[in-house]
Each structure stands twice: as C-alpha cells, then as structure tokens.
Amino acid sequence: MAPAKATNAVQLLLGSTALWLSQLGAETVSASKAVTAHLAAKWPETPLLLEASEFMAEESNEKFWHFLETVQELAIYKQTESDYSYYNLILKKAGQFLDNLHINLLKFAFSIRAYSPAIQMFQQIAADEPPPDGCNAFVVIHKKHTCKINEIKKLLKKAASRTRPYLFKGDHKFPTNKENLPVVILYAEMGTRAFSAFHKVLSEKAQNGEILYVLRHYIQKPSSRKMYLSGYGVELAIKSTEYKALDDTQVKTVTNTTVEDETEANEVQGFLFGKLNLLVY
C-alpha cells in the first residue's frame, strides 16, 4: 500500500506542477500583448550640446557665452566617444557654471528634449535665408551671405546702406554696450571647427565695438535618427462592432416576472401593499 500511495502522491505533484507551468505560460503570453507607442516629432534628432546651450541662455546671456567658449570644438569628441560618454562630457562642461540643482534640471530637460523645438526653430530660420551651398557655417551681413571669413571685412564696408535685419527675442547677442552697429548673424553648429573659426573673428570685432554679433544655431547635416518626444500620453480606443441578436419576448417575460416578484415581495401577513398603493393612487 505504501508504494501505491507514494506513486499517487508523485502523480498528484506532477499534475499540480504542470498546471502551474501552464498558468505561468498563459500569463507570459498575455503580458506580451502590451501595446508600446512612440511619439516622434517631424524634425530629426537635435544635438544635446545645442540643447544645453539653450538651457544656459535661459539662466543668463553671460552664462551662454561663457559656456560657448568652453565647448568651441567639443563636437569633435562625439566622433570618438560613445553617446553616454559624450553626454557626461557635456554635463561636466555645464557643471562649471551650474550648481547640482541646475545640473539635475538640465538632465531632466535632456530626458524630455525640452529645448529641441528651439533648435529646430533656428534651423528653420536658417533654411529661409537660404544657406549657401556646401557651407558648414555662414554669416549674413545685412542681407549679404558668405561662408568665407576673409569676405566679412568687405561686406561690412557698405552694410549701413543696406536694410538692417530683424532680430528675434530668442536670438543670442554677444554682450556689448552698443546696439547701433552693423549686425553680423552667424549660422553655425556650436562645437564644430567651422563655428570656432568664425567665432574667433566675430567675437574680437564685437569686443572692439565694430559689430553686433548674433548667433543662430545651424546644422548643415541633420541627424538621420528620429526625434522621439517624452511626457506625452497615448490612448488606444478599440470599439467592438459585433452585433448580437436578442429575443424581445424573452426580455419582456423577464421584466414581467421581475415585477411580479417585486409585488409578491411586498406581501405582509396576507396584505399586498403594492396593490393597495395602486388602488389608493
């Protein structure tokens, strides 16, 4: 008898284990049916370095230009470093001008790509100029374009006779005490060698009181990756279009039966209070 009981116990244990495994498999299959949604913007992914500069600009104009000086050719490291290492390098450079609280705010801004629309705005302004062909960076001096540094002096000579450009609220103006000066707008990607070459010349002229130097972001070769946005909710509403046939007679019968049951429920010691209410009213 003992061996038989042991065999039955083993069979029962194996059956329970099989049932548990089948339920676990069913839960795994059902979990894999979750819907994942991604929200992509219409513009390509923007560089984090430029987004960091816009964060600096909100802090102050002085911090923006100080940060710019420290990252003049930082984009070169992007080609050799991993994305994570380059991300930490940007935070390290920003940490020279921000406290820990603002560094955490910058990380949060990176996570939701809060300043990407601002970069795209400048990119659209640059596209409307339009940019000269094959130029990594270019300047506009009162409606005259050039991507050659040695032509800047020539275009400045008759700049006063041409229409002064309109400046936007978000434009980055090099700190100066004078406003009534020829305006030189640089379209370039911060951190590149092309930007560094133009910035060296224009910043010197601005410090000498010769020009009003304005910087606008311009990316000659935008990223091929999509710009995914965070902080948005997506709702998936599925409506059933299945029609079910119902027998109306059965519904009426159920309704009548319910009324009769309710009426009988009102009987107390032979008195049907439900019917008495009907007679009174």
Side-chain angles (χ1 to χ4, degrees):
M1 293 296 293
K5 289 183 179 180
T7 302
N8 293 337
V10 171
Q11 291 177 350
L12 181 60
L13 180 61
L14 291 176
S16 301
T17 304
L19 179 61
W20 178 77
L21 289 175
S22 64
Q23 291 178 348
L24 180 62
E27 291 178 359
T28 304
V29 172
S30 61
S32 64
K33 294 181 179 180
V35 178
T36 303
H38 297 283
L39 183 62
K42 292 184 178 180
W43 61 88
E45 186 180 42
T46 51
L48 290 179
L49 180 61
L50 304 189
E51 294 182 27
S53 70
E54 288 299 312
F55 181 89
M56 290 290 183
E58 278 200 353
E59 291 296 308
S60 69
N61 190 48
E62 289 73 17
K63 283 187 177 181
F64 171 84
W65 290 101
H66 288 321
F67 175 73
L68 181 147
E69 290 289 343
T70 63
V71 298
Q72 286 193 44
E73 297 186 11
L74 194 69
I76 299 173
Y77 295 96
K78 189 176 182 180
Q79 301 173 1
T80 57
E81 300 287 339
S82 64
D83 291 343
Y84 183 70
S85 299
Y86 186 63
Y87 166 83
N88 286 326
L89 182 59
I90 295 173
L91 292 176
K92 183 179 179 180
K93 294 292 184 180
Q96 300 178 26
F97 313 100
L98 301 174
D99 55 23
N100 291 334
L101 175 61
H102 286 83
I103 286 293
N104 290 331
L105 289 175
L106 177 58
K107 291 179 181 179
F108 177 71
F110 280 160
S111 66
I112 63 175
R113 311 309 295 266
Y115 295 95
S116 180
I119 307 302
Q120 179 59 23
M121 178 194 69
F122 285 114
Q123 187 76 357
Q124 187 60 47
I125 294 174
D128 293 338
E129 283 295 341
D133 294 335
C135 294
N136 295 328
F138 66 98
V139 294
V140 179
I141 305 175
H142 292 216
K143 294 189 175 181
K144 293 292 184 178
H145 303 65
T146 183
C147 54
K148 297 179 180 179
I149 297 177
N150 56 11
E151 292 183 357
I152 294 177
K153 186 176 180 180
K154 176 183 176 181
L155 295 178
L156 282 172
K157 289 182 178 180
K158 297 182 179 180
S161 62
R162 298 190 297 271
T163 304
R164 187 181 177 89
Y166 177 81
L167 298 181
F168 298 96
K169 182 179 179 181
D171 280 328
H172 305 296
K173 301 178 184 178
F174 191 87
T176 180
N177 296 326
K178 299 179 181 179
E179 290 289 335
N180 191 19
L181 295 170
V183 180
V184 180
I185 303 176
L186 171 61
Y187 291 88
E189 182 179 353
M190 183 186 302
T192 61
R193 288 176 177 172
F195 162 78
S196 180
F198 271 103
H199 173 71
K200 182 179 179 180
V201 174
L202 296 179
S203 60
E204 289 179 0
K205 289 184 177 296
Q207 289 173 356
N208 295 332
E210 299 177 27
I211 63 170
L212 178 61
Y213 171 25
V214 178
L215 172 64
R216 291 175 180 172
H217 302 296
Y218 167 64
I219 308 167
Q220 185 199 20
K221 296 180 180 180
S223 173
S224 59
R225 294 188 290 187
K226 293 182 179 180
M227 180 72 246
Y228 290 107
L229 304 178
S230 302
Y232 295 87
V234 179
E235 179 182 359
L236 181 62
I238 302 177
K239 182 179 180 180
S240 175
T241 57
E242 181 181 357
Y243 294 93
K244 297 180 180 180
L246 297 176
D247 189 352
D248 294 341
T249 57
Q250 294 182 0
V251 174
K252 292 180 180 179
T253 302
V254 172
T255 304
N256 294 335
T257 304
T258 304
V259 173
E260 291 179 359
D261 292 341
E262 291 179 354
T263 303
E264 292 178 357
N266 293 330
E267 181 181 357
V268 179
Q269 295 183 354
F271 293 97
L272 300 177
F273 288 96
K275 291 185 178 180
L276 289 175
N277 289 334
L278 295 175
L279 292 175
V280 173
Y281 294 102

